PDB file of all heavy atoms in Angstrom:
ATOM      1  N   ILE A  51      96.206 113.714 113.081  1.00  0.00           N
ATOM      2  CA  ILE A  51      97.379 114.422 113.592  1.00  0.00           C
ATOM      3  C   ILE A  51      98.636 113.956 112.855  1.00  0.00           C
ATOM      4  O   ILE A  51      99.496 114.771 112.506  1.00  0.00           O
ATOM      5  CB  ILE A  51      97.505 114.219 115.122  1.00  0.00           C
ATOM      6  CG1 ILE A  51      96.362 114.918 115.845  1.00  0.00           C
ATOM      7  CG2 ILE A  51      98.840 114.729 115.638  1.00  0.00           C
ATOM      8  CD1 ILE A  51      96.267 114.598 117.323  1.00  0.00           C
ATOM      9  N   VAL A  52      98.743 112.665 112.608  1.00  0.00           N
ATOM     10  CA  VAL A  52      99.889 112.146 111.862  1.00  0.00           C
ATOM     11  C   VAL A  52      99.888 112.696 110.433  1.00  0.00           C
ATOM     12  O   VAL A  52     100.944 113.073 109.906  1.00  0.00           O
ATOM     13  CB  VAL A  52      99.891 110.595 111.875  1.00  0.00           C
ATOM     14  CG1 VAL A  52     100.877 110.027 110.879  1.00  0.00           C
ATOM     15  CG2 VAL A  52     100.188 110.079 113.267  1.00  0.00           C
ATOM     16  N   LEU A  53      98.716 112.772 109.801  1.00  0.00           N
ATOM     17  CA  LEU A  53      98.639 113.343 108.452  1.00  0.00           C
ATOM     18  C   LEU A  53      99.057 114.810 108.430  1.00  0.00           C
ATOM     19  O   LEU A  53      99.743 115.257 107.506  1.00  0.00           O
ATOM     20  CB  LEU A  53      97.231 113.186 107.886  1.00  0.00           C
ATOM     21  CG  LEU A  53      96.862 111.806 107.371  1.00  0.00           C
ATOM     22  CD1 LEU A  53      95.403 111.772 106.938  1.00  0.00           C
ATOM     23  CD2 LEU A  53      97.767 111.397 106.230  1.00  0.00           C
ATOM     24  N   SER A  54      98.652 115.570 109.444  1.00  0.00           N
ATOM     25  CA  SER A  54      99.066 116.976 109.483  1.00  0.00           C
ATOM     26  C   SER A  54     100.572 117.091 109.689  1.00  0.00           C
ATOM     27  O   SER A  54     101.216 117.973 109.113  1.00  0.00           O
ATOM     28  CB  SER A  54      98.307 117.737 110.568  1.00  0.00           C
ATOM     29  OG  SER A  54      98.722 117.340 111.841  1.00  0.00           O
ATOM     30  N   CYS A  55     101.144 116.192 110.471  1.00  0.00           N
ATOM     31  CA  CYS A  55     102.594 116.180 110.656  1.00  0.00           C
ATOM     32  C   CYS A  55     103.303 115.828 109.350  1.00  0.00           C
ATOM     33  O   CYS A  55     104.305 116.446 108.988  1.00  0.00           O
ATOM     34  CB  CYS A  55     102.968 115.182 111.755  1.00  0.00           C
ATOM     35  SG  CYS A  55     104.723 115.069 112.106  1.00  0.00           S
ATOM     36  N   ILE A  56     102.747 114.871 108.630  1.00  0.00           N
ATOM     37  CA  ILE A  56     103.338 114.472 107.345  1.00  0.00           C
ATOM     38  C   ILE A  56     103.253 115.605 106.327  1.00  0.00           C
ATOM     39  O   ILE A  56     104.219 115.881 105.601  1.00  0.00           O
ATOM     40  CB  ILE A  56     102.649 113.198 106.822  1.00  0.00           C
ATOM     41  CG1 ILE A  56     103.072 111.995 107.652  1.00  0.00           C
ATOM     42  CG2 ILE A  56     102.962 112.956 105.355  1.00  0.00           C
ATOM     43  CD1 ILE A  56     102.288 110.732 107.354  1.00  0.00           C
ATOM     44  N   VAL A  57     102.103 116.283 106.279  1.00  0.00           N
ATOM     45  CA  VAL A  57     101.930 117.400 105.338  1.00  0.00           C
ATOM     46  C   VAL A  57     102.976 118.477 105.596  1.00  0.00           C
ATOM     47  O   VAL A  57     103.573 119.016 104.665  1.00  0.00           O
ATOM     48  CB  VAL A  57     100.500 117.976 105.439  1.00  0.00           C
ATOM     49  CG1 VAL A  57     100.405 119.345 104.807  1.00  0.00           C
ATOM     50  CG2 VAL A  57      99.513 117.035 104.792  1.00  0.00           C
ATOM     51  N   PHE A  58     103.220 118.773 106.864  1.00  0.00           N
ATOM     52  CA  PHE A  58     104.191 119.816 107.174  1.00  0.00           C
ATOM     53  C   PHE A  58     105.617 119.332 106.947  1.00  0.00           C
ATOM     54  O   PHE A  58     106.444 120.038 106.362  1.00  0.00           O
ATOM     55  CB  PHE A  58     104.017 120.284 108.628  1.00  0.00           C
ATOM     56  CG  PHE A  58     104.945 121.393 108.993  1.00  0.00           C
ATOM     57  CD1 PHE A  58     104.716 122.676 108.546  1.00  0.00           C
ATOM     58  CD2 PHE A  58     106.074 121.158 109.754  1.00  0.00           C
ATOM     59  CE1 PHE A  58     105.573 123.711 108.852  1.00  0.00           C
ATOM     60  CE2 PHE A  58     106.938 122.181 110.080  1.00  0.00           C
ATOM     61  CZ  PHE A  58     106.687 123.460 109.628  1.00  0.00           C
ATOM     62  N   THR A  59     105.922 118.136 107.383  1.00  0.00           N
ATOM     63  CA  THR A  59     107.297 117.644 107.338  1.00  0.00           C
ATOM     64  C   THR A  59     107.784 117.405 105.914  1.00  0.00           C
ATOM     65  O   THR A  59     108.935 117.695 105.597  1.00  0.00           O
ATOM     66  CB  THR A  59     107.416 116.346 108.153  1.00  0.00           C
ATOM     67  OG1 THR A  59     106.916 116.580 109.459  1.00  0.00           O
ATOM     68  CG2 THR A  59     108.844 115.892 108.259  1.00  0.00           C
TER      69      THR A  59
END
Side-chain angles (χ1 to χ4, degrees):
I51 292 171
V52 168
L53 283 176
S54 70
C55 181
I56 288 171
V57 163
F58 182 75
T59 306

